[in-house]
């Protein structure tokens, strides 16, 4: 006859940590009311005993945070090439790991498809909350999330997010800084290769670009919209550099388009930065590997993703998470910008 070890229970964990069963529940449901030292002691006791709360028990307690959803409206191939989302997701994952939580990532073709997906996820109890990105004016996901009571964080300006908790970067201030920097170098013909026109942050950057150009009296400032791809960035750059009155500086809405633009300039024999200055958005490793290295509007994308995830857990657990901005992207001048000649 073989003997079996008694099953470890929450009571055993509480006894090992010297706390109540309620304190163990608070710790594992990530709710306030415990000091960090007490939480650490509880988690250490649980690890020593090999205990973890069952998913069913956490669900019944109304604190199912095992899975967080994220849908991105991008072609799969483009997403794989875009450093921003790779860094953003890594930041989100760094926080999910702390909560023993998984990320359910899905690519969609439209905001309407994502709105339906959110309904499916939530009603099917597949997620405890979701991160929403790439907001548009009158975005259909806002009404769906509000109607469902789905815990979400909107990655975008509050003006686009309705009553949803929002976390955003100040793209308008960053764009004004970019234009002013180039103008201070002496550039009077400045162009912008923007992203998709329907996206809220594209419009915000575009309005800030125009406002800064007017403020500085730059008659030779213009913009074009693209789909963020390297191919579109290359086409826009080629068109600009073959114009009769070509720009002496170009601002790109992401690093992929800036790298493509640099390649086009070199192919055409246009010297960077002697003949044209280039400035990228999203300062990824790509910007440091080119020759010359690309100047960029830089911010901590990994940290941004982590802050979004932390805020989402605050929403899920009812801790009064508030909408708030994170650090504004700041200028990182490098070899691709210089005064015009």
């Amino acid at each position: 006859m073989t003997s079996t070890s008694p099953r470890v229970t929450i009571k055993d964990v509480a006894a090992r940590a010297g706390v109540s069963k309620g304190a163990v529940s608070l710790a594992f449901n990530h709710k306030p009311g415990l000091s960090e030292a007490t939480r650490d002691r509880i988690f250490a006791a649980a690890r020593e005993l090999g205990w973890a709360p069952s998913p069913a028990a956490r669900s019944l307690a109304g604190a199912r945070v095992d899975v967080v959803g994220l849908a991105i409206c991008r072609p799969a191939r483009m997403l794989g090439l875009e450093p921003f989302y790779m860094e953003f997701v890594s930041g989100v994952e760094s926080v999910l790991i702390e909560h023993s939580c998984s990320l359910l990532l899905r690519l969609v073709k439209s905001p309407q498809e994502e709105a339906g997906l959110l309904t499916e996820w939530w009603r099917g109890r597949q997620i405890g909350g979701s991160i929403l990105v790439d907001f548009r004016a009158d975005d259909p996901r806002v009404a769906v999330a509000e109607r469902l009571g789905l815990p979400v964080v909107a990655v975008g300006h509050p003006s686009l997010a309705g009553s949803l908790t929002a976390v955003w970067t100040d793209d308008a201030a960053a764009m004004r800084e970019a234009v002013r920097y180039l103008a201070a170098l002496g550039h009077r013909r400045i162009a912008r290769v923007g992203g998709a026109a329907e996206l809220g942050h594209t419009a915000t950057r575009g309005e800030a670009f125009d406002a800064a150009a007017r403020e500085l009296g730059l008659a030779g400032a213009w913009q074009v919209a693209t789909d963020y791809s390297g191919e579109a960035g290359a086409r826009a750059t080629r068109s600009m550099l073959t114009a009769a009155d070509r720009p002496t500086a170009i601002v790109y809405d992401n690093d992929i388009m800036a790298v493509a633009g640099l390649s086009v300039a070199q192919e055409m024999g246009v010297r960077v930065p002697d003949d044209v200055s280039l400035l990228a958005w999203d300062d990824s490793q790509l910007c440091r590997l080119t020759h010359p290295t690309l100047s960029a509007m830089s911010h901590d994308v990994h940290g941004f993703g982590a802050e979004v995830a932390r805020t989402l857990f605050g929403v899920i657990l009812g801790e009064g998470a508030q909408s708030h901005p994170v650090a504004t992207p700041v200028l990182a001048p490098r070899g691709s910008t210089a005064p015009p000649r």
Side-chain angles (χ1 to χ4, degrees):
M1 181 175 178
T2 59
S3 62
T4 59
S5 300
R7 184 171 63 88
V8 177
T9 67
I10 190 173
K11 182 178 179 180
D12 299 318
V13 175
R16 173 69 65 93
V19 299
S20 67
K21 291 190 295 183
V24 176
S25 179
L26 287 175
F28 276 89
N29 285 319
H30 306 285
K31 292 187 175 180
L34 299 175
S35 69
E36 287 302 313
T38 300
R39 287 181 193 276
D40 291 343
R41 193 165 72 250
I42 291 169
F43 291 147
R47 285 194 298 271
E48 291 166 5
L49 295 172
W51 180 86
S54 70
R58 293 180 71 179
S59 181
L60 289 172
R64 188 181 191 279
V65 291
D66 316 273
V67 180
V68 164
L70 171 62
I72 300 176
C73 190
R74 288 280 198 286
R77 184 171 182 178
M78 184 183 297
L79 183 66
L81 296 173
E82 194 165 10
F84 174 87
Y85 273 116
M86 297 301 99
E87 290 188 49
F88 179 80
V89 169
S90 75
V92 170
E93 287 279 17
S94 71
V95 174
L96 299 191
I97 289 170
E98 297 173 1
H99 293 264
S100 299
C101 187
S102 300
L103 181 67
L104 178 56
L105 177 63
R106 185 78 62 84
L107 301 185
V108 295
K109 296 178 181 178
S110 69
Q112 290 75 19
E113 181 183 346
E114 184 180 348
L117 181 64
L118 290 173
T119 302
E120 176 187 324
W121 279 351
W122 184 242
R123 290 180 176 169
R125 299 180 66 80
Q126 296 180 60
I127 60 171
S130 188
I131 296 168
L132 308 184
V133 299
D134 286 344
F135 273 79
R136 295 152 171 82
D138 301 318
D139 197 296
R141 297 171 297 173
V142 174
V144 168
E146 290 173 337
R147 184 178 70 251
L148 293 173
L150 170 63
V152 301
V153 167
V155 181
H157 194 272
S159 63
L160 301 167
S163 66
L164 307 179
T165 300
V167 179
W168 71 98
T169 58
D170 192 344
D171 284 4
M175 182 58 76
R176 289 193 295 269
E177 181 184 1
V179 175
R180 288 169 183 162
Y181 164 71
L182 293 170
L185 289 177
H187 294 280
R188 310 301 295 171
R189 299 192 306 278
I190 303 173
R192 170 176 170 254
V193 178
E198 67 272 15
L199 295 179
H201 60 266
T202 298
T204 296
R205 295 177 192 178
E207 291 165 5
F209 181 92
D210 283 339
R214 286 194 303 270
E215 175 189 314
L216 296 166
L218 304 179
W222 72 95
Q223 309 181 63
V224 296
T226 71
D227 62 3
Y228 280 116
S229 69
E231 292 83 357
R235 284 195 301 271
T237 304
R238 189 171 288 108
S239 176
M240 289 174 174
L241 294 183
T242 54
D245 196 17
R246 74 186 186 194
T248 61
I250 305 174
V251 181
Y252 295 86
D253 261 26
N254 71 1
D255 41 11
I256 293 177
M257 294 194 296
V259 171
L262 174 61
S263 178
V264 166
Q266 292 171 338
E267 167 197 313
M268 296 176 62
V270 177
R271 298 170 300 169
V272 178
D274 294 349
D275 299 324
V276 63
S277 286
L278 305 182
L279 178 61
W281 210 274
D282 297 331
D283 185 19
S284 73
Q285 190 66 23
L286 281 178
C287 296
R288 302 178 186 89
L289 295 175
T290 60
H291 181 75
T293 52
L294 282 165
S295 296
M297 300 308 298
S298 178
H299 62 121
D300 181 3
V301 178
H302 178 93
F304 183 36
E307 179 59 21
V308 167
R310 283 191 290 266
T311 303
L312 178 59
F313 276 101
V315 173
I316 291 172
L317 300 174
E319 296 175 351
Q322 300 293 317
S323 295
H324 60 279
V326 296
T328 301
V330 296
L331 184 68
R334 298 197 184 96
S336 68
T337 51
R341 295 188 179 182

